[in-house]
């Protein structure tokens, strides 16, 4: 009789635990007087995304529509409660003026659970993050970008030559943009961050691209399941020591970086890439100067005082490798996604493509055969307008902040609100970018929003493509330079055309991922010197 009783008790206890966990924090917002949508058992407000009824992009775009008069609402990220700040001025107050109280991101996994992502500047917290920001900040200044621009242009020339040759042999080619720009980004990040030269178009099976494809295949069932479980039951994932990224791929990147550093140290090799800058940062040789605060475009973010101080902390191998990993992720996945949607807009708006080509052709002619330089970028005003608008329409959907100590403030007249230590909030960037009060007719792709006259009218608290406050994206200059160089050389050499596979208007996949097109983005690249046959 004892065994059946124990089994029954164990099952009952398990059911009770699951019920308690599945309804955890049910009254969190109710007790604080904050409006929210009723959560679903276990999945919170994410159930429709998990079962592919709505995509994360659309969810974030319309997150505040049910509460039009509220400035702060509640959201259940699975069972974790998050405040959503619908008023950009409150975000500016919290994330900039009161940054010391809201300086961390939410922790999905730490450095013990995943040494690569956990040690990256995105995941670090507290003083360790401040020291890393100060260490890396001088590596992303205008003066360093001038040196790195030549490496990016070299890759652009290499890939354009390949595409021209392929078009000559096979006729104009159609490429799926995510795959195309993943390869493009792989080659750029290979040379700029890891100091290795690869050609992912001629050598599709190279180890570097294969590793990236495995690491950042966020559409695979295995990776999506892991991402859900990390959010649904993080303690269980930690208990069983399940990493997001496979050990073999982590070791490949780690050995690549450390072996390169060793060879360069021994042979005194200097190359203006990210590995060299990290080596110099580790030695304390990188500093800011007066010429570093230039802009790579309207979307460039400014460095705060935190990034301008000099850090004396010595970093371990894992901590340095982790920064290369983050650059890898940004170059392979984030940039390729932005470029995919940017090129969709260029194809979907022929007038934009024509005006862009006219400007690029004029600037190219003035270069008199010389390659594009960082100093040339400010002359490409319309290109900057196009990229600024692409970053408005297709941005990172949200960023978060965590309160590190109890903090009370007043808003909306005399309303008082208290964040407690550990509370987190979302900055719904997408909701701001699509709010017609800030950007009229938000579904229209309109670069003229960012012309010299109109951009002065934009409230910068509502335009946040690289985040907000001292914890904004450290690589905005590198990212913008990369985008501009790629667009410059492709539009200069190719006319971009829709095909029968091109979905206009584009539809997004309905899942937990942010920017994922339903049917891919397929574009035909016709060399400018080839006429279209009727």
């Amino acid at each position: 009789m004892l065994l059946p009783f124990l089994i029954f008790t164990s099952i009952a206890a398990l059911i009770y635990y699951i019920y308690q966990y599945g309804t955890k924090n049910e009254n969190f917002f109710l007790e604080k007087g904050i409006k929210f949508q009723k959560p679903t058992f276990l999945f919170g407000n994410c159930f429709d995304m998990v079962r592919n009824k709505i995509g994360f992009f659309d969810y974030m775009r319309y997150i505040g529509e049910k509460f039009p008069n509220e400035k702060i609402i509640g959201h259940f990220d699975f069972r974790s409660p998050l405040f959503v700040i619908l008023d950009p001025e409150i975000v500016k107050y919290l994330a900039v003026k009161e940054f010391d109280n809201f300086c961390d991101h939410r922790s999905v996994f730490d450095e013990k659970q995943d040494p690569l992502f956990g040690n990256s500047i995105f995941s670090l917290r507290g003083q360790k993050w401040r020291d890393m920001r100060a260490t890396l900040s001088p590596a992303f200044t205008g003066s360093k970008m001038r040196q790195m621009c030549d490496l990016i242009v070299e890759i652009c020339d290499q890939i354009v030559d390949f595409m021209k040759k392929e078009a000559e042999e096979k006729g104009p080619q159609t490429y799926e943009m995510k795959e195309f720009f993943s390869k493009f980004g792989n080659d750029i990040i290979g040379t700029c961050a890891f100091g290795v030269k690869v050609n992912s178009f001629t050598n599709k099976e190279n180890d570097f691209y294969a590793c990236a494809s495995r690491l950042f295949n966020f559409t695979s069932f295995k990776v999506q399941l892991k991402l859900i479980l990390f959010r649904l039951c993080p303690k269980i994932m930690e208990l069983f020591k399940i990493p997001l990224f496979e050990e073999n791929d982590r070791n490949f990147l780690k050995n690549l970086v450390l072996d390169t550093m060793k060879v360069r140290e021994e042979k005194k090799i200097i190359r203006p890439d990210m590995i060299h800058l990290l080596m110099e940062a580790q030695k304390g040789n990188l500093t800011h100067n007066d010429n570093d605060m230039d802009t790579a475009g309207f979307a460039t973010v400014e460095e705060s005082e935190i990034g301008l101080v000099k850090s004396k902390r010595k970093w371990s191998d894992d901590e340095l490798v982790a920064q290369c990993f983050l650059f890898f992720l940004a170059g392979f996945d984030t940039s390729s996604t932005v470029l995919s949607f940017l090129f969709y807009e260029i194809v979907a708006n022929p007038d934009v493509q024509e005006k862009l080509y006219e400007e690029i052709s004029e600037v190219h002619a003035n270069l008199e055969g010389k390659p594009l330089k960082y100093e040339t970028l400010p002359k490409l005003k319309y290109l900057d307008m196009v990229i600024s608008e692409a970053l408005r329409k297709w941005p990172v959907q949200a960023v978060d902040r965590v309160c590190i100590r109890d903090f009370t403030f007043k808003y909306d007249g005399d309303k008082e609100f208290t964040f407690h230590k550990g509370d987190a909030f979302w900055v719904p960037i997408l909701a701001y970018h699509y709010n017609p009060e800030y950007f009229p007719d938000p579904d229209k792709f309109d670069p003229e929003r960012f012309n010299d006259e109109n951009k002065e009218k934009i409230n910068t608290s509502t335009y946040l493509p690289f985040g907000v406050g001292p914890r904004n994206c450290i690589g905005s200059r590198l990212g913008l330079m990369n985008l501009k160089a790629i667009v410059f050389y492709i539009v200069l050499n190719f006319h971009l055309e829709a095909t029968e596979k091109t979905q206009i208007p584009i539809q997004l996949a309905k899942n937990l991922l942010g920017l994922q097109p339903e049917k891919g983005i397929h574009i035909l690249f016709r060399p400018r010197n080839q006429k279209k046959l009727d």
Side-chain angles (χ1 to χ4, degrees):
M1 293 294 292
L2 181 60
L3 182 59
F5 175 76
L6 290 175
I7 293 174
F8 174 79
T9 304
S10 298
I11 293 174
L14 179 61
I15 292 173
Y16 178 74
Y17 173 79
I18 293 174
Y19 173 78
Q20 286 292 98
Y21 184 82
T23 58
K24 187 173 90 171
N25 298 317
E26 192 85 7
N27 297 320
F28 182 87
F29 296 116
L30 195 63
E31 293 168 353
K32 296 176 181 289
I34 295 293
K35 293 185 178 180
F36 64 100
Q37 292 188 55
K38 186 177 179 180
T40 303
F41 177 74
L42 277 177
F43 295 98
N45 297 135
C46 301
F47 188 52
D48 283 345
M49 288 178 271
V50 171
R51 62 191 184 127
N52 299 332
K53 292 294 184 181
I54 188 174
F56 184 67
F57 187 93
D58 283 335
Y59 180 82
M60 288 306 304
R61 175 178 177 175
Y62 300 112
I63 194 167
E65 282 202 346
K66 291 186 178 180
F67 310 103
N69 299 318
E70 300 301 310
K71 296 181 182 293
I72 302 175
I73 62 173
H75 165 82
F76 284 96
D77 188 33
F78 290 85
R79 298 314 304 181
S80 298
L82 278 167
F83 297 99
V84 182
I85 313 296
L86 299 177
D87 184 343
E89 295 306 320
I90 295 179
V91 165
K92 183 178 179 180
Y93 175 72
L94 298 177
V96 180
K97 186 175 180 181
E98 296 295 337
F99 175 76
D100 287 346
N101 293 308
F102 300 91
C103 57
D104 291 336
H105 286 307
R106 289 188 299 161
S107 178
V108 181
F109 30 67
D110 60 21
E111 58 267 31
K112 294 179 182 177
Q113 199 168 356
D114 197 295
L116 279 181
F117 196 80
N119 270 309
S120 71
I121 191 172
F122 180 85
S123 299
L124 294 179
R125 303 180 129 208
Q127 188 59 45
K128 192 173 183 181
W129 170 80
R130 290 171 182 267
D131 290 342
M132 182 61 79
R133 181 83 184 204
T135 299
L136 294 181
S137 180
F140 290 92
T141 57
S143 60
K144 305 304 184 300
M145 293 305 101
R146 287 179 179 83
Q147 300 171 32
M148 207 172 290
C149 187
D150 293 343
L151 300 177
I152 293 177
V153 167
E154 182 182 347
I155 296 298
C156 290
D157 276 334
Q158 170 187 297
I159 294 174
V160 165
D161 287 345
F162 166 82
M163 294 166 63
K164 283 182 175 178
K165 185 178 180 181
E166 191 169 50
E168 188 177 328
E169 294 174 352
K170 305 176 185 177
Q173 295 294 295
T174 296
Y175 301 97
E176 198 290 307
M177 291 296 91
K178 180 63 176 178
E179 179 184 2
F180 177 81
F181 285 118
S182 291
K183 291 178 179 178
F184 212 131
N186 186 70
D187 291 1
I188 286 178
I189 212 68
T191 191
C192 288
F194 291 85
V196 296
K197 287 192 175 184
V198 292
N199 191 326
S200 301
F201 289 89
T202 57
N203 180 13
K204 299 178 182 180
E205 304 301 321
N206 70 80
D207 291 341
F208 199 69
Y209 182 71
C211 176
S213 299
R214 290 190 300 270
L215 280 170
F216 308 129
N217 184 13
F218 295 117
T219 60
S220 76
F221 175 77
K222 181 179 179 181
V223 173
Q224 287 199 39
L225 180 61
K226 280 188 177 182
L227 289 171
I228 290 174
L229 292 176
F230 272 119
R231 292 162 71 179
L232 187 60
C233 47
K235 292 185 187 269
I236 293 176
M237 300 294 279
E238 183 179 358
L239 177 65
F240 288 99
K241 299 181 179 179
I242 299 174
L244 179 60
F245 304 106
E246 299 298 327
E247 186 176 4
N248 288 342
D249 293 323
R250 298 202 310 265
N251 289 337
F252 173 82
L253 292 182
K254 180 177 180 177
N255 293 335
L256 177 62
V257 172
L258 297 182
D259 290 347
T260 302
M261 286 183 169
K262 182 179 179 182
V263 170
R264 291 190 184 185
E265 195 67 49
E266 291 174 350
K267 298 186 177 182
K268 308 299 181 186
I269 297 172
I270 296 176
R271 188 175 184 271
D273 56 22
M274 196 55 61
I275 283 189
H276 172 68
L277 293 174
L278 284 175
M279 293 171 68
E280 291 296 288
Q282 179 74 311
K283 297 172 184 175
N285 293 340
L286 290 186
T287 57
H288 286 274
N289 61 56
D290 293 338
N291 298 320
D292 280 344
M293 294 298 108
D294 62 355
T295 175
F298 179 78
T300 310
V301 292
E302 295 181 3
E303 184 57 276
S304 71
E305 290 297 321
I306 293 171
L308 300 179
V309 301
K310 192 174 179 65
S311 173
K312 296 180 180 179
R313 185 192 285 258
K314 295 297 180 183
W315 301 101
S316 69
D317 289 344
D318 278 344
E319 289 163 341
L320 291 178
V321 171
Q323 312 322 311
C324 284
F325 165 78
L326 189 62
F327 308 149
F328 198 10
L329 171 61
F332 187 87
D333 186 72
T334 308
S335 292
S336 63
T337 298
V338 172
L339 282 161
S340 297
F341 284 89
L342 168 58
F343 273 69
Y344 159 77
E345 295 291 357
I346 292 174
V347 167
N349 299 276
D351 56 324
V352 171
Q353 181 172 184
E354 186 58 33
K355 192 170 180 179
L356 197 55
Y357 175 65
E358 289 175 3
E359 179 184 73
I360 289 172
S361 297
E362 181 180 346
V363 171
H364 178 257
N366 292 335
L367 289 173
E368 298 180 336
K370 297 176 183 177
L372 183 69
K373 294 289 185 182
Y374 186 77
E375 294 82 358
T376 314
L377 297 182
K379 298 177 183 178
L380 294 158
K381 287 191 174 183
Y382 190 68
L383 175 56
D384 188 61
M385 290 161 56
V386 169
I387 288 176
S388 296
E389 174 68 347
L391 291 172
R392 178 200 67 83
K393 197 173 177 188
W394 306 107
V396 172
Q397 290 84 63
V399 294
D400 63 18
R401 295 292 184 272
V402 175
C403 183
I404 65 169
R405 62 179 68 90
D406 290 358
F407 176 77
T408 300
F409 75 106
K410 288 186 177 181
Y411 73 100
D412 201 15
D414 57 356
K415 288 184 180 179
E416 191 172 271
F417 185 81
T418 297
F419 283 99
H420 294 287
K421 181 178 180 180
D423 286 347
F425 68 81
W426 259 348
V427 181
I429 294 172
L430 192 68
Y432 301 163
H433 286 196
Y434 276 81
N435 188 329
E437 181 182 342
Y438 309 136
F439 298 98
D441 196 5
D443 285 299
K444 181 182 179 181
F445 185 79
D446 183 12
E448 295 303 326
R449 300 179 202 273
F450 297 91
N451 64 30
D452 286 341
E453 179 182 354
N454 291 332
K455 68 183 179 182
E456 300 302 324
K457 303 173 186 176
I458 294 174
N459 178 353
T460 54
S461 298
T462 67
Y463 182 69
L464 306 171
F466 289 104
V468 58
R471 197 138 191 175
N472 57 29
C473 176
I474 195 172
S476 67
R477 285 180 178 81
L478 177 58
L480 289 170
M481 178 178 68
N482 183 48
L483 294 176
K484 290 182 178 183
I486 291 174
V487 174
F488 181 92
Y489 279 98
I490 288 183
V491 172
L492 176 67
N493 289 282
F494 297 92
H495 186 264
L496 309 174
E497 301 171 12
T499 73
E500 65 278 1
K501 283 187 173 183
T502 311
Q503 191 181 48
I504 300 177
I506 197 167
Q507 300 296 316
L508 299 181
K510 295 177 179 179
N511 55 34
L512 275 168
L513 300 178
L515 279 174
Q516 184 187 353
E518 185 180 61
K519 297 181 179 179
I521 300 174
H522 302 269
I523 294 176
L524 184 141
F525 287 61
R526 186 182 303 279
R528 293 278 178 183
N529 59 3
Q530 283 188 15
K531 292 184 179 180
K532 183 176 182 180
L533 299 177
D534 295 328

